[in-house]
Amino acid sequence: MFKRLAVLVVFLAARSLVLVACGDETASVPAYSGATAVTLSDSVKSKMSDSLAQIKNPTVEGFKTTDDVNKIKSTYDSNFKSAGWDDKSSEFGSEASIKQLTDLGLVVLGYQKGNKAAIVMAFPNTYAGALGFSGLGTNENAILVISGNQA
């Protein structure tokens, strides 16, 4: 189950970035206040980087927070919109793969600002370890932020 979930997350991230990328290479991805950076496994970084051949200089970052995934979703949504990013989540929100993730309690968001694209995924603690996150306490949830420019 967890291996299938990890493969689905990698596929979704790669596909999502292609859907939303197109314009400003200098846009910075809004930070999540109170989140702490975590080390992602080499396997996760490699899978994401290999899947993102169509994205120039992709960045894959992991974070942890005690906030629940719904608060992560609303905070990122507000932060991106305040920074002038366009919400592109609806462009892939009806796909069956997204539904599988959201049914498990995961959050998937997509934003675009010019040529810069960003995907944010929030994972309940239950799935974080299986997806390559380490160093999370039992009450902490994980955030994966993938960003880059269209090649």
Side-chain angles (χ1 to χ4, degrees):
M1 157 85 170
F2 288 123
K3 187 174 184 177
R4 183 174 170 212
L5 179 63
V7 170
L8 182 60
V9 167
V10 171
F11 168 76
L12 178 62
R15 188 168 188 288
S16 299
L17 279 170
V18 172
L19 286 174
V20 300
C22 34
D24 178 5
E25 293 188 18
T26 62
S28 39
V29 174
Y32 189 91
S33 180
T36 305
V38 297
T39 302
L40 295 173
S41 70
D42 290 339
S43 172
V44 169
K45 289 180 183 178
S46 175
K47 285 178 185 172
M48 290 294 179
S49 295
D50 292 348
S51 299
L52 301 174
Q54 71 281 10
I55 300 298
K56 183 172 60 174
N57 302 319
T59 302
V60 180
E61 301 173 288
F63 301 93
K64 65 181 179 179
T65 180
T66 55
D67 293 344
D68 66 47
V69 293
N70 288 325
K71 181 170 182 185
I72 295 168
K73 178 182 179 178
S74 65
T75 301
Y76 265 116
D77 190 50
S78 176
N79 290 351
F80 273 99
K81 287 178 180 175
S82 293
W85 289 67
D86 295 323
D87 186 350
K88 298 294 184 174
S89 304
S90 64
E91 291 185 18
F92 53 82
S94 62
E95 293 181 21
S97 57
I98 294 286
K99 180 149 177 35
Q100 288 176 343
L101 294 176
T102 57
D103 285 350
L104 292 171
L106 283 71
V107 169
V108 182
L109 304 168
Y111 298 92
Q112 173 188 334
K113 186 172 186 179
N115 193 43
K116 187 84 168 190
I119 300 297
V120 175
M121 297 181 195
F123 306 95
N125 184 283
T126 310
Y127 302 111
L131 294 169
F133 287 86
S134 59
L136 273 69
T138 56
N139 65 335
E140 294 177 314
N141 295 309
I143 304 168
L144 181 66
V145 178
I146 308 158
S147 61
N149 299 312
Q150 186 172 6

